[in-house]
Amino acid sequence: LCRAVLVLLCLACGLPGPAPATAAEAAANDLKIVLVPYGWLTGFSGKFGARGYETNVTNSFAQLDKYLNFAAMAHMEVIYRDTVGLLGEFNYARLGDQTSRKGVGLDGQMSFTMTDLAAFYRLGNFALGQQGSTASFDLLAGARIWTLDMKLSAEYMQMGDSVHMQKSWVDPTIGARTNIRFNDRWYAELRGGVGGFGASSTFTWDTMALIGYNFWENATVLGGAVGLNYESGSGRNNFKANATLHGPVIGLAFTF
C-alpha cells in the first residue's frame, strides 16, 4: 500500500518510480498491522450488586435476543519484524431487559466496557514435524481497563428507589500466546492471561481458542471467556461484580 502511494505520487510529479528495494520500503515491510472487527456472543453468570443490594445473574449467549441491546468489538495489533508488538482489544455491551419480569437476571440496564492494552515479545518461531508446520510463542504484559454501569430497579430488588452506580478501574495483566500454523491456509491460536492481583480487581483472567482459515482475508472463529472479581466500599457505597463472561466469537482479520 505504501509503495503504491509513492508510485502514484511520483507519476503525478513526472518523476521515476522508486527502486525496488529502498531503505524506506524495507522499513515498511518490517511493520505489520492486523485489524479484526468481530462479534462476541456474550453470555454471563455471576453476582452483581450496589449499595448493599445484590442479584445473581445467569444468561447464556443463546438468550441474546432477550438481554443484549447493543455491542461493539474490535482487535488490533502492530507487529515489528515479527518480534515485538502492541495489541489493543475493545469490547462494549449494553445488557438488560426492557420489562421487569421475574426470572430475568438484570432488572433494568447494565453496560460494560472492557479494553485490553498489552505489549508482547515473540520468543521465536519453531518448526513442528516435517510437514512445514510452525508455532510461535509470545509473552504479554499490559492492562485491562473496565467501566461498569449498573441500574438495578426497585421493583425487582424490592427497594424503595432505584440504584444507579458506575465504576471504572484498571487491572494489570500478564499472559502468553501461541500461534500454530498447520499449512498456508489453516492456523490456530491459543491465548490466556491473569491479572488484578488485588490492585483493583481481586482477580481477573481470560482465555481463548481460535481456529482460522486464510483466503484473501483471514477468517477467524474463536471462543473465549473473561473472569472478573471486584468489590469496593461498604454499605450504601458498596459496589460488587463477581462474574464470568463467556461465549463464541466470529471475526474477520485484515492484515496490512
Side-chain angles (χ1 to χ4, degrees), residues 40 189 191 207-211 221-225 246-250:
W40 181 14
E189 183 175 308
R191 173 181 156 191
T207 181
M208 65 174 60
L210 172 152
I211 185 75
V221 178
L222 61 98
H246 51 81
V249 177
I250 300 175

Side-chain angles (χ1 to χ4, degrees), residues 31-38 73-79 85-91 115-120 140 177 189 191 252-256:
L31 195 65
K32 182 169 68 174
I33 299 174
V34 181
L35 178 62
V36 190
Y38 65 91
M73 298 92 176
H75 174 97
M76 183 177 181
E77 291 187 30
V78 179
I79 308 170
L86 299 171
L87 68 84
E89 212 161 69
F90 174 81
N91 288 273
T115 304
D116 278 355
L117 300 173
F120 63 88
L140 301 92
R177 177 176 66 173
E189 183 175 308
R191 173 181 156 191
L252 183 63
F254 301 92
T255 303
F256 305 96

